[in-house]
Amino acid sequence: MQELLRVMRTIDDRIVHELNTTIPTASFVGKVDPGQTCKELYESLMDAHTNRERIIKNCIAQTSSVVKTLREEREKAQDDVALLKQLRKEQTKLKLMQSELNVEEVVNDRSWKVLS
């Protein structure tokens, strides 16, 4: 998932470059519509943010479900060391995904500030 998010954040990582190539220089003013190009960039950014948030929240929901199931199994079989290890592994994965929501917020805020 981390690699997928990294690839999906490319538009945010390149926002300054995108803006620099979107706003025409004096010699290209008549050839490019900066308003339309900025609108397209805005829409691309919105789509990227929405898709990433949806993916992260779906992963959190799935992993939360797994953690809940493992906790229930753990209550029945408290001596099962393998089950405890699996539960801890899934809990760690859940925490990492939840922290990705915070990262997403920072990335989104930075991009919107640059775009503004």
Side-chain angles (χ1 to χ4, degrees):
M1 182 174 107
Q2 299 264 334
E3 181 64 22
L4 175 63
L5 288 173
R6 186 186 65 74
V7 170
M8 291 180 76
R9 287 183 178 137
T10 301
I11 189 170
D12 292 274
D13 293 340
R14 297 178 44 109
I15 191 71
V16 172
H17 172 74
E18 293 292 329
L19 283 172
N20 286 338
T21 58
T22 298
I23 300 169
T25 60
S27 61
F28 287 101
V29 169
K31 299 175 184 172
V32 177
D33 179 3
Q36 180 62 31
T37 309
C38 282
K39 180 181 176 189
E40 290 169 3
L41 180 58
Y42 172 84
E43 289 170 355
S44 294
L45 210 51
M46 281 294 286
D47 289 344
H49 292 179
T50 302
N51 289 333
R52 288 194 312 256
E53 184 176 345
R54 181 180 43 79
I55 288 169
I56 294 169
K57 286 183 176 180
N58 284 341
C59 288
I60 288 172
Q62 289 176 0
T63 305
S64 293
S65 177
V66 170
V67 167
K68 180 182 176 191
T69 302
L70 289 172
R71 280 185 181 151
E72 291 169 356
E73 291 177 20
R74 175 83 172 124
E75 288 177 15
K76 296 174 188 171
Q78 293 186 358
D79 294 337
D80 190 342
V81 176
L83 185 61
L84 177 61
K85 285 182 181 181
Q86 183 64 28
L87 174 60
R88 287 187 178 156
K89 179 181 174 185
E90 291 298 319
Q91 286 173 326
T92 300
K93 188 162 81 171
L94 180 59
K95 288 176 186 175
L96 287 172
M97 287 181 207
Q98 289 168 333
S99 72
E100 279 300 324
L101 277 179
N102 294 331
V103 170
E104 188 65 17
E105 184 178 334
V106 170
V107 168
N108 293 354
D109 285 347
R110 183 188 67 104
S111 294
W112 291 125
K113 285 177 184 174
V114 169
L115 189 63
S116 294

